[in-house]
């Protein structure tokens, strides 16, 4: 009888640990489901392209807290900027200015901020029993949606303006125009 009571008492601690662990696993699955619910950005386009800047826009994603614009390839992407709006203009990628004639591939993705419960360590501290679990609120977690379809953009120099030709003599013509920046 005493052995049976001791076994029940010992298993109660493990049962409580398992119950908390299961609750946290369910919360983690709920977070995974919400990550799948962050919609893919659509309508991603370059609105204005010059030699020195590119302006982008896209359709707003319902429930998104913000967006991340990245450049790269299908396999490697580098974050350029984060924005709360569905429009952004860039003039560089990192420290490098945009190069006219070079084709860049851009992606945008929506994100949602969440505050999940996260399980801490299960190590016993002074005054606690083995198997106690430290459950605490952590800082907001950023849940990223899928990347948009790729958008290729090639900045180019604009056409010269105010082009003029003036004959100076029978064999010389002076050409003038405004510089393109």
């Amino acid at each position: 009888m005493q052995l049976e009571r001791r076994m029940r008492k010992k298993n109660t601690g493990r049962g409580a640990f398992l119950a908390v662990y299961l609750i946290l696993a369910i919360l983690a699955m709920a977070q995974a489901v919400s990550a799948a619910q962050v919609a893919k950005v659509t309508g991603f386009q370059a609105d204005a392209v010059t030699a020195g800047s590119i302006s982008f826009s896209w359709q707003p994603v319902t429930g998104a807290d913000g967006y991340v614009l990245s450049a790269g390839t299908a396999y490697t992407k580098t974050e350029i900027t984060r924005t709360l709006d569905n429009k952004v203009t860039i003039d560089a990628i990192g420290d490098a200015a945009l190069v006219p004639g070079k084709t860049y591939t851009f992606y945008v993705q929506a994100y949602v901020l969440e505050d999940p419960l996260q399980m801490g360590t299960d190590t016993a501290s002074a005054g606690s029993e083995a198997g106690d679990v430290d459950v605490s609120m952590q800082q907001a977690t950023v849940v990223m949606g899928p990347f948009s379809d790729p958008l290729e953009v090639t900045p180019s120099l604009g056409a010269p303006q105010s082009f003029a030709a003036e004959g100076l003599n029978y064999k010389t013509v002076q050409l003038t125009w405004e510089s393109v920046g």
Side-chain angles (χ1 to χ4, degrees):
M1 183 90 153
Q2 280 187 340
L3 179 60
E4 194 175 304
R5 282 188 198 150
R6 277 190 275 179
M7 292 297 285
R8 274 192 224 145
K9 185 175 182 182
K10 187 172 185 177
N11 287 337
T12 302
R14 284 190 181 156
F17 173 76
L18 288 175
V20 169
Y21 182 78
L22 286 174
I23 290 170
L24 292 173
I26 290 169
L27 289 172
M29 284 189 294
Q31 179 181 350
V33 169
S34 66
Q37 293 174 350
V38 178
K40 181 177 179 178
V41 171
T42 59
F44 183 38
Q45 63 187 19
D47 296 322
V49 181
T50 67
S53 69
I54 304 171
S55 295
F56 299 98
S57 68
W58 52 88
Q59 294 297 315
V61 173
T62 303
D65 292 315
Y67 304 91
V68 175
L69 178 70
S70 300
T73 68
Y75 304 105
T76 60
K77 297 171 184 64
T78 301
E79 181 178 316
I80 299 172
T81 189
R82 291 183 180 227
T83 179
L84 301 177
D85 196 10
N86 64 324
K87 296 176 183 178
V88 67
T89 299
I90 64 164
D91 58 4
I93 296 177
D95 292 334
L98 297 173
V99 177
K102 179 178 179 180
T103 300
Y104 298 92
T105 304
F106 296 96
Y107 302 84
V108 68
Q109 63 188 140
Y111 66 84
V112 175
L113 301 175
E114 293 188 345
D115 293 321
L117 283 173
Q118 294 185 3
M119 183 169 69
T121 61
D122 64 348
T123 55
S125 59
S128 66
E129 295 182 21
D132 284 352
V133 178
D134 174 29
V135 179
S136 60
M137 291 295 285
Q138 301 296 318
Q139 286 186 325
T141 300
V142 178
V143 179
M144 303 301 294
F147 285 100
S148 67
D149 292 334
L151 176 64
E152 290 186 349
V153 181
T154 305
S156 61
L157 294 174
Q161 299 296 313
S162 302
F163 183 76
E166 178 184 350
L168 298 178
N169 59 40
Y170 73 97
K171 65 179 183 176
T172 307
V173 176
Q174 181 178 10
L175 303 175
T176 58
W177 60 90
E178 289 182 24
S179 65
V180 176

